[in-house]
Amino acid sequence: MNGAQAMVKCLENEGVEMVFGYPGVAICPFYDSLLDTDIKSVLIRTEQNAAHAASGLARVTGKVGVCAVTSGPGATNLITGIATAFADSIPLVCITGQVNSELIGSDVFQEADITGAAESFVKYSYLVKNAEDIPQIFKEAFYIANTGRKGPVLIDVPIDVQNAPVRKFKYPDSVSMRTYKPTVKGHIVQIKKVIAELEKAKRPVICAGGGVLLGDAQKLLREFSHRHKIPVVTTMMGIGAMQTEDPLYFGMVGNNGAPCANRAMNEADMIIMVGARVADRAVNQPEIITKNKVLVHMDVDPAEIGKNAGPTIPLVGDAKHIFSDMLEQELDGDYSEWVVCLQEYEKTMADTRKPDPAFVDPAEFVRRLSDKMEQDAVYVADVGQNQIWSCRNCKIREGSFLTSGGMGTMGYSIPAAMGAKLGAPGRQVVAVCGDGSFQMSMMEFATMRQYQVPVK
């Protein structure tokens, strides 16, 4: 077995069924080895879209998305896709080919220091120097990508390492890294403090971010909200955590959010921020959510807690574990007046624009489109005005809402929708984009045609 075959064997051990990418000289041994397996290689038309497609697959399956490209421009083209996944905490393993080990640093043909160039956009990166290390590196990469705060991991493999012999292949059963031990279970003392504050609160609100969906905690969040009648708002990345037409859901917060949702945040006496980083699009004045309020910030990444707003109660942990523990606690609170008040705001602050009947009203178009979509459909919004219309007007029932929230990468929707459809072939997938975004990714229509991927 050589290094390239070992790489493919690692992917098989991780249950990978699909690799999105574009071959070139420095990654050819890997692609040649893929031919001898059941792993499907999807030839995208530009490398950035390999990461977007892998991201779409990861977001609907909960598995790690995998992409593989060649050295030099292949690798540098991938960076925007890696950065997009990093900003939204999407688990990817990105494999890049590299020039011969002994030539690294001598500016040879198609050489780029990709581990250095991508450093600020990855959770971790590897430059493989010894083919015997491949099983350990791949095991660690998949573990890092899909635990704690999820994100992309880069593995850069020189061509001579891909061709080098691997005398003994053994894929590790588990990973124990001294320097990486994410906390997933929330501290029970902190959880009890949250419950105690909820008992005192009159106007609590839960603000759910993308971490709720990444942690597969939406069902537990809905159960907690319904059991105690606590209103919920979401960030853009949290859309879908609650069903859009749930009477306890009051919309998306932020610059482009629903007026009622923003008012709920302003008038609340307690905010439970879960799986959200309190960034400018959701909360452009952090002092508003801390002044005269109890702010609880729950996040699996301790670095996010207190970064943009100082919480009263910090709570490190995975949303699924935390809500599971919170549901076991006794809570005696009555927030019915607050819910009625917000329902009144929702009516009085509703959009009263009168669109010109001579033109298509995009808001109404999105509402009608989502009415016609299947219950568990995947709605993929691009970036620009279409993203705002989509966030404000689409109706999510049991389906998913995907978009590029943190990086705001135009051209995301078509490749991400393709990846989502390949990851969940039984679900309806719809990509919504503007003319600019469409023109940035329309070459992927060729990919969809080639692999018969029925995205709308």
Side-chain angles (χ1 to χ4, degrees):
M1 182 186 283
N2 64 16
Q5 290 163 332
M7 291 160 71
V8 172
K9 190 81 178 152
C10 294
L11 297 185
E12 287 182 315
N13 275 288
E14 288 292 340
V16 173
E17 295 172 2
M18 207 166 294
V19 174
F20 299 92
Y22 205 105
V25 171
I27 194 68
C28 263
F30 168 78
Y31 269 99
D32 287 345
S33 301
L34 267 187
L35 294 171
D36 301 325
T37 71
D38 292 330
I39 297 173
K40 183 174 182 175
S41 168
V42 179
L43 177 72
I44 45 69
R45 298 313 194 258
T46 185
E47 289 89 356
Q48 175 178 322
N49 292 336
H52 293 333
S55 166
L57 180 141
R59 290 174 75 169
V60 297
T61 62
K63 297 176 182 173
V64 177
V66 179
C67 51
V69 300
T70 195
S71 64
T76 56
N77 278 353
L78 191 67
I79 290 178
T80 298
I82 295 174
T84 303
F86 183 74
D88 291 334
S89 309
I90 311 301
L92 300 186
V93 166
C94 307
I95 302 164
T96 53
Q98 183 55 277
V99 299
N100 249 359
S101 302
E102 69 218 33
L103 298 175
I104 290 175
S106 53
D107 292 336
V108 294
F109 178 67
Q110 288 199 334
E111 182 195 351
D113 174 14
I114 189 61
T115 51
E119 193 55 44
S120 58
F121 301 120
V122 291
K123 266 189 89 172
Y124 200 70
S125 61
Y126 296 89
L127 172 57
V128 185
K129 294 173 180 167
N130 183 341
E132 302 286 351
D133 297 336
I134 285 170
Q136 183 67 37
I137 285 172
F138 270 71
K139 183 71 179 179
E140 286 181 7
F142 276 85
Y143 175 68
I144 293 168
N146 212 24
T147 53
R149 180 177 181 171
K150 301 176 183 187
V153 176
L154 175 71
I155 306 176
D156 193 31
V157 196
I159 189 168
D160 57 312
V161 174
Q162 293 174 57
N163 286 322
V166 175
R167 288 170 190 83
K168 189 180 175 196
F169 179 93
K170 185 177 185 307
Y171 201 64
D173 295 325
S174 59
V175 177
S176 180
M177 301 172 73
R178 190 171 50 82
T179 53
Y180 178 72
K181 297 200 181 293
T183 302
V184 291
K185 203 152 172 58
H187 199 293
I188 194 66
V189 173
Q190 296 299 87
I191 288 169
K192 285 183 171 170
K193 282 184 189 172
V194 174
I195 298 296
E197 288 295 344
L198 271 170
E199 299 223 300
K200 290 188 261 177
K202 293 279 182 280
R203 299 184 307 282
V205 67
I206 297 170
C207 180
V212 171
L213 299 165
L214 288 163
D216 191 27
Q218 55 271 43
K219 285 185 179 155
L220 290 170
L221 163 70
R222 292 171 191 180
E223 189 183 337
F224 185 75
S225 165
H226 280 267
R227 183 183 295 179
H228 303 297
K229 302 289 183 284
I230 300 172
V232 179
V233 296
T234 62
T235 64
M236 183 184 287
M237 293 307 294
I239 291 173
M242 293 285 278
Q243 294 188 333
T244 311
E245 295 182 322
D246 189 314
L248 286 170
Y249 177 61
F250 293 94
M252 182 183 88
V253 297
N255 304 349
N256 306 111
C260 175
N262 287 329
R263 191 160 178 181
M265 291 279 278
N266 290 345
E267 294 188 9
D269 59 5
M270 179 176 183
I271 296 173
I272 299 175
M273 186 76 70
V274 51
R277 59 174 155 244
V278 199
D280 61 324
R281 279 188 103 181
V283 182
N284 63 1
Q285 293 174 286
E287 62 276 8
I288 288 175
I289 63 163
T290 53
K291 197 174 178 184
N292 305 322
K293 289 175 176 42
V294 172
L295 175 62
V296 177
H297 195 174
M298 304 176 187
D299 205 288
V300 76
D301 182 2
E304 285 301 337
I305 297 176
K307 186 167 86 179
N308 294 325
T312 320
I313 304 172
L315 183 46
V316 179
D318 179 85
K320 194 169 188 175
H321 284 87
I322 289 173
F323 277 116
S324 180
D325 288 345
M326 281 172 59
L327 281 161
E328 288 176 9
Q329 304 291 318
E330 289 293 320
L331 170 57
D332 184 23
D334 179 11
Y335 318 115
S336 49
E337 279 184 32
W338 172 229
V339 172
V340 170
C341 171
L342 290 179
Q343 285 169 341
E344 206 51 47
Y345 286 163
E346 203 167 32
K347 284 181 207 157
T348 57
M349 301 176 88
D351 190 355
T352 53
R353 287 178 312 131
K354 295 275 188 289
D356 186 333
F359 298 92
V360 174
D361 174 35
E364 182 60 22
F365 168 75
V366 169
R367 284 193 287 270
R368 291 198 195 185
L369 171 68
S370 46
D371 276 339
K372 295 284 184 190
M373 285 165 65
E374 291 168 10
Q375 285 284 323
D376 67 342
V378 181
Y379 186 115
V380 190
D382 218 292
V383 174
Q385 290 289 349
N386 66 88
Q387 185 183 47
I388 308 310
W389 294 324
S390 295
C391 291
R392 291 284 296 271
N393 298 285
C394 86
K395 297 170 190 173
I396 303 293
R397 295 176 285 276
E398 291 304 323
S400 311
F401 180 86
L402 311 186
T403 193
S404 166
M407 193 56 58
T409 306
M410 283 178 71
Y412 172 83
S413 67
I414 293 175
M418 177 173 67
K421 185 67 183 176
L422 285 165
R427 291 172 71 182
Q428 188 182 64
V429 181
V430 180
V432 177
C433 53
D435 56 327
S437 302
F438 172 70
Q439 290 173 87
M440 288 186 180
S441 289
M442 62 186 181
M443 73 291 281
E444 298 309 337
F445 271 22
T447 314
M448 286 193 212
R449 183 72 187 81
Q450 180 180 347
Y451 296 97
Q452 298 293 303
V453 187
V455 166
K456 296 189 187 302

